[in-house]
Amino acid sequence: MVPTVPHPRPPLDRNDPVRRWYEHELGWATAPGTPVRLRTGLRFDVLELPVEAGRAVLHHLGPKAPVAVQGGVMRILVAAGGADELPGLLDWLEWGGLPLDLSAIGAGGTMEAPLPPGLTGDHPGLTGVQGAAVWLRPPEPGCEVEPTLPALPSLASPDGQGPLPGGGTAGSGLVRLVDTAATQCHRVRLRRMCRQPLAFS
């Protein structure tokens, strides 16, 4: 059997202003290809839920916690490792047996990079179609993102009691966020089911 050799990856365009902003201004890793995609599982993971449900979740986040929107999906950045904790948290919170439109992207995943603040889609340096995703709450250059992200106690502070940005304690950050997100996703699903016409056989 002849081993197959993968095709070489195209070189990253370091002049792309989107890629440059994420890599140099924020220190975030990007994946090859266009549009620019951000690697998850390194500095952050991503919690995904419907925008309709996500609106009620925003007040549980600190004011600097980054949040993006793409189409009908809200993406909330959480501490790296949070995606692995989601199934166990849902079970512990007794949401595990219900179908919820709630998922997470962790190690080895990517998310489309929203256009940086102030950059428009017609910028001459852009190398691909970018901008379907937008920042609702953009990250701040020069600020470490990790302290702003919801986390479990062991991921947030050594004693699990440290304050979270925007109030609350580290021990309640991710747990409270997931519980609220699951509740809102369930409400959205019930509302959608009530709007569907009854099927008669």
Side-chain angles (χ1 to χ4, degrees):
M1 182 175 177
V2 179
T4 57
V5 179
H7 295 290
R9 290 181 176 178
L12 298 182
D13 183 357
R14 302 294 178 186
N15 293 320
D16 184 326
V18 176
R19 192 178 304 281
R20 192 168 59 245
W21 190 76
Y22 283 104
E23 291 185 349
H24 298 290
E25 297 295 325
L26 298 180
W28 293 5
T30 62
T34 55
V36 177
R37 299 189 69 82
L38 305 174
R39 293 185 184 275
T40 56
L42 302 174
R43 305 276 309 267
F44 56 85
D45 286 353
V46 178
L47 194 67
E48 292 189 326
L49 67 162
V51 169
E52 189 178 350
R55 290 190 191 103
V57 177
L58 292 177
H59 69 277
H60 287 281
L61 298 171
K64 295 184 178 181
V67 178
V69 173
Q70 184 169 13
V73 177
M74 181 176 287
R75 296 190 175 115
I76 300 172
L77 272 59
V78 298
D84 292 336
E85 301 293 341
L86 180 61
L89 280 177
L90 289 173
D91 286 341
W92 183 68
L93 293 165
E94 300 184 351
W95 287 108
L98 295 173
L100 298 171
D101 195 3
L102 179 63
S103 61
I105 308 171
T110 63
M111 66 171 270
E112 184 173 326
L115 280 176
L119 192 66
T120 60
D122 58 357
H123 191 283
L126 293 176
T127 57
V129 178
Q130 196 85 35
V134 296
W135 283 115
L136 185 61
R137 294 184 181 182
E140 294 185 16
C143 298
E144 291 293 317
V145 71
E146 288 84 353
T148 70
L149 304 178
L152 289 176
S154 61
L155 300 175
S157 67
D159 60 2
Q161 302 301 319
L164 284 174
T169 61
S172 62
L174 187 60
V175 175
R176 183 176 54 200
L177 175 65
V178 168
D179 191 34
T180 304
T183 301
Q184 296 304 321
C185 286
H186 184 59
R187 288 177 178 169
V188 167
R189 184 173 180 273
L190 291 177
R191 281 197 297 269
R192 289 175 180 170
M193 289 174 62
C194 290
R195 290 196 293 259
Q196 291 178 352
L198 294 174
F200 294 97
S201 54

